[in-house]
Amino acid sequence: MGKIDTPQHPVYYSVSDDLALNESELRAIQRMKELKLLEKIGENPMENAERLSRFWDFLQNELAIDDK
């Protein structure tokens, strides 16, 4: 049988023992890598990931980017 990869039944790929990503997450990671964003975040991953999360929340909430 073939794999089913739909929004209702995404396929997950194991990256490590405690991390699995679906196709869209892998594409996002790939694009972040192409933009060298992963390298920059990796310089201080805990702090920079939190900072990126806060910035994303600001964009969504204050600038209503998803409402346009």
Side-chain angles (χ1 to χ4, degrees):
M1 295 189 70
K3 67 178 184 174
I4 300 173
D5 187 11
T6 65
Q8 296 81 20
H9 304 284
V11 173
Y12 284 88
Y13 301 92
S14 180
V15 177
S16 67
D17 288 339
D18 60 347
L19 179 62
L21 301 172
N22 64 31
E23 285 285 335
S24 64
E25 292 166 335
L26 285 172
R27 284 193 302 272
I29 296 283
Q30 178 63 37
R31 186 62 181 140
M32 290 170 62
K33 186 169 179 69
E34 291 167 357
L35 295 170
K36 307 236 184 281
L37 186 56
L38 286 180
E39 181 180 329
K40 294 172 187 174
I41 291 172
E43 292 171 2
N44 187 347
M46 298 303 284
E47 182 178 328
N48 289 337
E50 290 294 327
R51 186 176 290 157
L52 183 60
S53 179
R54 287 191 310 273
F55 182 66
W56 185 255
D57 289 342
F58 170 77
L59 288 176
Q60 287 182 305
N61 297 328
E62 300 300 322
L63 301 179
I65 61 170
D66 290 335
D67 295 337
K68 294 180 181 177

